[in-house]
Every structure is written in structure tokens, then in C-alpha cells.
Amino acid sequence: MRMEILERLSEKFAEDFDAMNLTNVAWACAVLAYRPSGSILNRVGANMITKAQASLKSVADGGSDRASPSVQALTNSLWAFATLQHPMAPELAGVVAKATPRLMDQFDARLAGVGGAFNTQTVANQLWAYASIQHHPGNELMDAFAALVTQHVEDFNSQELSNAMWSYAALSHFPGDDFMRVVEIEMAKRVGSFTTQGATNNIVSVAHFQHSDVAARAGLHSFMSALDHELSLNQVKHYSAKGLALSIWGVSVLGGFSSKFYRRLWEHCAEPSSDRSTLIPGLDRNGNFVRMLYQSHLLMKAVAPRLAESMPAPDWLHTVGKDAWHKQVSDTRPSSFQANFARHLTGMKVPHRQELVTEDRNLSLDVALDDYRIAFECDGPWHFSVNAGVGSLGSVPLSRNLVRDTLMNASGWHVITVPWDDWTTHRDRGKGKEWIARSSNKFGVCDLSASDLTDAPK
């Protein structure tokens, strides 16, 4: 009853509220998980958007931005709408993303806990909001926030640090090697200070990106070493079934097969007296976590076969887990990218098959040359970070590529990655067949240079 009265009063005076009043209404609803029955949130969202847009227009026209809502007000509103999954959240996110860059000079890491300040919490909450509604705010803002985290990493509390790392992974925006290094080292220093969910998010998020240089691997070494700390090991018994599955997958991707932490995760997952052993397949309606565990098992067999033999595992892994994995492998369809690539092979008169499922049913190859054990993997944009200009091909390959390639190599296949941007460039220049011949010949198992290399249709 009290909330309904407050809701009616808020609706009555909504037009008279300033930006912070509006923000507080939305924030209170989100914190209390209260979804108003009336139009108050729509009015709050519309008013915030109008105020922010008016300020942006004023600045564009050479006027003042003194009437602009503060970064904190904008961020808290966005956080609230994202938390409630309100339909206006994407529109509000777009406005906040435009307004924030010109206010970056107001950031002060020393103002933690100060109401209305642009501080570390503001950065973490805004990142989290974008990620939770899958709205990428643009490279400029994401890179600016990454620079702030890198420079002020010690000022972010553990939850803020975890949320920031998770957000970059959720949006597949590579924050840079410096960010990865300092954040991983800082997380290692704070072992035991994260909640079990935070610790799980850290592992999965760090595993999302490949670590390509010496500095990045140094940060990863610190992060992985900290997992074997007693504080970290003692937390495992409090992990949920979902947390166990996600953490096992993350550590597998990071190659931590010999760590105490990894074994402890599997032990708790396999413990017959633990509800978690049966809860994973029981609660996993879509089979996602079951498949993650089975892929982790396959990866461990490929990289550390001796450890795989002695690693405890739940009884259902080789039945339910195996079946779920095989079902996913067999349920695939060639993409238009694969079909286009395959047409070039046809023009070269090279025998091949699309979506070839291996004999053990553990892998599906995009385009396979059976005679040479060569697998072409046609990697679209979703296989790479979304931000261009940070890798040799314009974007950083995600760890999912490395996992796939490792499993294929272990099965005796030579893997050739076909990045969508590199392929498109060569194809459009009429050099697609030459690209295929050059890439195939590097393994020394076949020579396609004598094939018909004239232009193939796009």
C-alpha cells in the first residue's frame, strides 16, 4: 500500500522533479525490485531522455550544458532501467552513451561514496548496465572507461572491478592488454574478497579473451596462481551448481588443469553426497552447463590426458553430458559465409565437405578437405572482439576459437582459420582462390597452387 501511495505521488509531481529526483524514483524501484503498475517509469525515462537530449543540443549549438543531468544521475537511471529490464532501457542507454564522453573530466576516483559524484561506482554501474541489456555504447566510451580502470584500478572495490571485467567480456569488447594485466594482478591481490558469483564471473570473463603477449600472460599467471590460495579453495564448497560448471569451463579454457583449484571444483561437482552433482543436469533446461562441462572434459583430455584419467567427474558426465554435446555438434547448418567459401573450392575442383562431423561425433568442421585432414573454420564477426584496430586482422580472436582449434588439432586435423574480414577483402579483389591455395600449402600436406585460380563468383 505504501509503495502504491508513493507511486501515485511520484506520478503527480513527476513534471516538477529535477534529474536527481527522477533518478531516485527509478533507483528505488530497482533496489526494491518493485515494478510500478502505472506509467511512472515511462515518465521518468522520457523526462531523463528529454533533459539529456536538450543539453546535448545546447552544447552542439554553442550553448551551456549547465542544465545537463549529472553523470551519476544518468548512470543511476540507466542502471535502474537495466536492472528492471524496462523496455526504455536501450533508448536511455543510447542517450547516456552520447552524454557521458563530454563529462569524463569530472571523474574523481577519490570521491567514492560521495552522492552525485562521478566515481568508480559510476563507471562500473554504467558498464554493467550496457552489458546487461547487450547495448554496446561505442568504442570511444568503452576505451575511455578501460583507461580509467587501468589507471585507477586500486580505487575500484572488488565488486566494481568484477563488474567491469564481466562487462567487457559480455560485450566482447577487448579492453586492451594493459587493462587485462593490471586487473588480473589486482584480482589476485584480493583473493577471497569476491563473492562466489563474483569469483566465477572473474574466471569466465578473464577466459573470454586470448592472452597474446608476455605482459598479458604475466597478469594471467598471477590470476591463476591466486586461485590456489587457501581462501579461494575454501570458497569452492559454497559454489552453486551453475558456479561450478562455469568455473570449471573457465579454468579449462585458461589451461589451469594442474591447479588445486581445478581439481577441487571437479571434486565438488562429482561428490555423490552433494546436491550439486545432480542439480546441474536437473536445473540446466537448455543443457548449456552440461555441455560446458563436457567440453571442459574434452579439452582436458586433449591437453592434459594423464590428469584427465585421474580427475573425478560426476557419473552423468559420460552419458547425459556426452549426449548433450553430441546433439549440439550434429545440429548445425552451413552459414552463407561457409557456402560462399565452399563455392571457391568447388571452382578449384577440390573435393570437400561442409559441416563434417568427426568419427567420434565430438566436432563439426565447417569445411573439410578429408584427403588432407584440413579443416577450414569460417569465423564470422562473433568470433572476434567487436572493437576494430586492436589486432593484426582488425580485432582480437576470442578464446572460443582457441578451444575449438585445440580440440581439432588433438583429433589430427590441420586447422585454417578464415577470418571474415580477411576473406572478404581477398574475395572482393578476386584473390579468394589464391588465399585458399596459399593457406592450405603452409602445412606441407597438399599443394593447391596448380588448381584453377581464376576468379570465383562472390
Side-chain angles (χ1 to χ4, degrees):
M1 179 62 73
R2 289 181 179 178
M3 289 301 296
E4 292 175 358
I5 294 174
L6 291 173
E7 182 183 340
R8 288 198 296 272
L9 288 172
S10 297
E11 288 195 32
K12 181 178 180 180
F13 298 109
E15 298 303 323
D16 300 320
F17 285 175
D18 62 17
M20 190 54 72
N21 294 146
L22 294 170
T23 293
N24 288 341
V25 171
W27 178 85
C29 290
V31 169
L32 296 172
Y34 177 73
R35 298 180 181 276
S37 58
S39 62
I40 182 59
L41 284 182
N42 287 340
R43 295 178 68 181
V44 167
N47 283 355
M48 287 297 293
I49 290 171
T50 298
K51 290 178 184 296
Q53 288 178 333
S55 177
L56 287 169
K57 185 177 185 304
S58 175
V59 173
D61 293 341
S64 170
D65 66 346
R66 283 179 294 181
S68 172
S70 68
V71 182
Q72 185 74 0
L74 291 168
T75 300
N76 285 355
S77 296
L78 176 58
W79 176 87
F81 276 69
T83 298
L84 294 170
Q85 291 294 297
H86 192 278
M88 290 187 72
E91 184 181 0
L92 182 58
V95 174
V96 174
K98 290 180 181 178
T100 300
R102 62 185 176 81
L103 303 172
M104 293 295 288
D105 60 342
Q106 298 178 13
F107 175 81
D108 192 335
R110 298 167 298 178
L111 298 179
V114 178
F118 185 3
N119 52 29
T120 56
Q121 184 182 35
T122 312
V123 173
N125 283 357
Q126 197 170 134
L127 283 170
W128 179 89
Y130 293 132
S132 66
I133 61 173
Q134 282 296 292
H135 178 96
H136 193 287
N139 292 343
E140 179 187 357
L141 184 57
M142 291 294 286
D143 292 340
F145 278 158
L148 287 181
V149 176
T150 302
Q151 183 178 354
H152 302 281
V153 65
E154 295 181 353
D155 296 307
F156 285 75
N157 68 36
S158 295
Q159 182 177 349
E160 292 165 356
L161 204 59
S162 184
N163 285 348
M165 181 71 249
W166 174 81
S167 300
Y168 281 96
L171 292 172
S172 289
H173 184 104
F174 183 63
D177 288 322
D178 288 342
F179 175 101
M180 296 294 290
R181 176 178 54 81
V182 300
V183 168
E184 288 164 357
I185 291 175
E186 190 65 26
M187 285 179 170
K189 293 177 182 177
R190 302 187 193 187
V191 62
S193 69
F194 299 96
T195 64
T196 54
Q197 181 178 342
T200 297
N201 287 346
N202 293 347
I203 292 169
V204 174
S205 302
V206 169
H208 190 71
F209 299 108
Q210 292 190 26
H211 293 67
S212 57
D213 67 0
V214 175
R217 289 194 292 273
L220 179 60
H221 175 74
S222 297
F223 180 83
M224 296 299 290
S225 296
L227 293 179
D228 278 351
H229 192 285
E230 202 62 31
L231 290 172
S232 180
L233 295 174
N234 288 337
Q235 268 193 319
V236 174
K237 60 179 176 287
H238 301 297
Y239 276 43
S240 65
K242 175 181 176 181
L244 286 174
L246 287 168
S247 297
I248 287 173
W249 179 85
V251 177
S252 298
V253 172
L254 293 170
F257 304 109
S258 61
S259 68
K260 296 177 184 177
F261 182 75
Y262 189 66
R263 179 169 288 274
R264 184 72 59 89
L265 290 170
W266 275 111
E267 287 173 349
H268 278 267
C269 186
E271 177 59 51
S273 62
S274 171
D275 290 340
R276 287 169 290 189
S277 177
T278 54
L279 276 179
I280 292 177
L283 295 179
D284 190 12
R285 296 178 181 177
N286 297 319
N288 292 331
F289 303 127
V290 170
R291 287 194 295 270
M292 290 177 84
L293 282 171
Y294 195 74
Q295 185 185 46
S296 300
H297 168 72
L298 291 177
L299 196 55
M300 178 168 44
K301 282 181 61 179
V303 178
R306 290 188 179 181
L307 283 173
E309 292 176 1
S310 63
M311 195 67 69
D315 293 337
W316 50 261
L317 183 66
H318 300 290
T319 53
V320 176
K322 185 177 183 179
D323 290 345
W325 180 257
H326 287 176
K327 181 179 179 181
Q328 174 183 265
V329 168
S330 61
D331 187 21
T332 54
R333 299 289 183 276
S335 66
S336 58
F337 178 10
Q338 289 172 237
N340 175 267
F341 184 84
R343 283 198 293 273
H344 283 71
L345 285 170
T346 299
M348 297 169 70
K349 298 181 174 55
V350 176
H352 61 278
R353 287 194 283 174
Q354 295 187 60
E355 293 298 346
L356 172 65
V357 176
T358 55
E359 296 86 348
D360 56 12
R361 298 174 59 199
N362 284 335
L363 300 167
S364 177
L365 315 179
D366 284 356
V367 182
L369 308 188
D370 299 51
D371 295 342
Y372 307 110
R373 301 287 287 184
I374 288 178
F376 289 100
E377 290 299 306
C378 301
D379 291 345
W382 52 91
H383 285 267
F384 302 88
S385 64
V386 298
N387 46 323
V390 294
S392 59
L393 294 176
S395 53
V396 174
L398 302 179
S399 291
R400 58 184 293 185
N401 299 16
L402 182 61
V403 171
R404 174 202 66 201
D405 296 353
T406 299
L407 292 176
M408 289 184 178
N409 289 153
S411 295
W413 287 88
H414 303 288
V415 182
I416 297 176
T417 298
V418 188
W420 65 280
D421 51 353
D422 195 32
W423 168 253
T424 301
T425 297
H426 284 82
R427 181 202 64 188
D428 290 350
R429 292 174 178 172
K431 302 293 184 180
K433 290 183 178 180
E434 290 184 18
W435 188 98
I436 292 174
R438 184 174 64 256
S439 300
S440 304
N441 295 349
K442 69 180 181 180
F443 290 114
V445 295
C446 69
D447 184 359
L448 303 182
S449 59
S451 305
D452 179 7
L453 301 183
T454 56
D455 289 356
K458 297 180 182 180

